[in-house]
């Protein structure tokens, strides 16, 4: 939910900032409209992180192509693969913008290391595949999630308010990957055997 604060110069000196009454949806800007103004129409635009980054293991997904052992002997087979993990956020907006740069500068100042926009992992994984089996590789990157709120100050009222708050959650690859690579074998299905072993 976007929050807003209204104030006037005279009222500020006398009573401080006043919380604006609820506005209808038609009277509110979208999160995109607000963040597009960040350092591009605002007096100030600051991201306030909440707590430490949350680290988690992303769901493992199959990478590369399956390998099939159509022989009568066990085989060590290589699966070459590459996977790129990119940043995302709860608002579905591109971070290659002014507000994205504000986030990255604040992240480094708050946590002491650079924010990773993306990470590409490439390797060849060897699998021991028994006769009649298929081998597959699954990759799960280590991720980090940061929650916080943008605070935007306008010189002139924007949608009838001087100050707006936009909460956002940003997710991206962790600095220390520690990702998981898992291999798995299972009997080929009849369709796989027909398609790959003739």
């Amino acid at each position: 939910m976007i929050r807003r604060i209204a104030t006037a110069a005279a009222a500020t000196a006398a009573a401080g900032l006043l919380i604006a009454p609820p506005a209808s949806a038609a009277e509110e800007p979208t999160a995109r409209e607000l963040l597009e103004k960040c350092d591009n129409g605002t007096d100030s635009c600051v991201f306030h992180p909440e707590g430490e980054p949350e680290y988690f293991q992303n769901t493992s997904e199959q990478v590369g192509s399956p390998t099939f052992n159509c022989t009568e002997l066990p085989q060590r087979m290589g699966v070459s693969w590459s996977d790129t993990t990119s940043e995302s956020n709860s608002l579905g907006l591109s971070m290659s913008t002014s507000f994205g740069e504000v986030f990255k500068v604040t992240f480094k100042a708050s946590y002491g290391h650079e924010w990773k926009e993306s990470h590409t992992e490439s390797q060849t994984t060897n699998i021991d595949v028994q006769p009649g089996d298929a081998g597959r590789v699954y990759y799960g990157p280590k991720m980090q999630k940061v929650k916080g709120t943008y605070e935007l100050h306008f010189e002139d009222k924007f949608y009838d308010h001087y100050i707006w708050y936009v909460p956002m959650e940003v997710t991206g690859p962790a600095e220390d990957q520690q990702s998981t690579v898992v291999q798995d074998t299972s009997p080929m299905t009849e369709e796989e055997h027909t398609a790959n072993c003739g």
Side-chain angles (χ1 to χ4, degrees), residues 13-47:
L17 297 179
L18 302 175
I19 298 177
S24 68
E27 297 172 326
E28 286 191 357
T30 64
R32 179 187 293 274
E33 286 180 286
L34 285 167
L35 292 181
E36 284 178 347
K37 292 290 185 180
C38 181
D39 284 351
N40 185 35
T42 57
D43 280 346
S44 68
C45 176
V46 180
F47 182 77

Side-chain angles (χ1 to χ4, degrees), residues 5-108:
I5 292 179
T7 183
T12 300
L17 297 179
L18 302 175
I19 298 177
S24 68
E27 297 172 326
E28 286 191 357
T30 64
R32 179 187 293 274
E33 286 180 286
L34 285 167
L35 292 181
E36 284 178 347
K37 292 290 185 180
C38 181
D39 284 351
N40 185 35
T42 57
D43 280 346
S44 68
C45 176
V46 180
F47 182 77
H48 301 289
E50 299 170 9
E52 293 297 313
E54 173 190 340
Y55 294 93
F56 64 97
Q57 193 69 47
N58 207 17
T59 305
S60 292
E61 302 287 348
Q62 184 178 332
V63 290
S65 299
T67 185
F68 304 95
N69 185 357
C70 299
T71 74
E72 296 181 354
L73 297 172
Q75 300 289 329
R76 173 159 290 184
M77 312 179 84
V79 176
S80 296
W81 58 272
S82 180
D83 186 85
T84 298
T85 306
S86 301
E87 65 188 1
S88 62
N89 60 74
S90 57
L91 299 176
L93 303 177
S94 169
M95 297 292 286
S96 58
T97 55
S98 294
F99 77 84
E101 187 60 30
V102 167
F103 168 81
K104 290 160 192 171
V105 169
T106 302
F107 179 89
K108 183 177 181 180

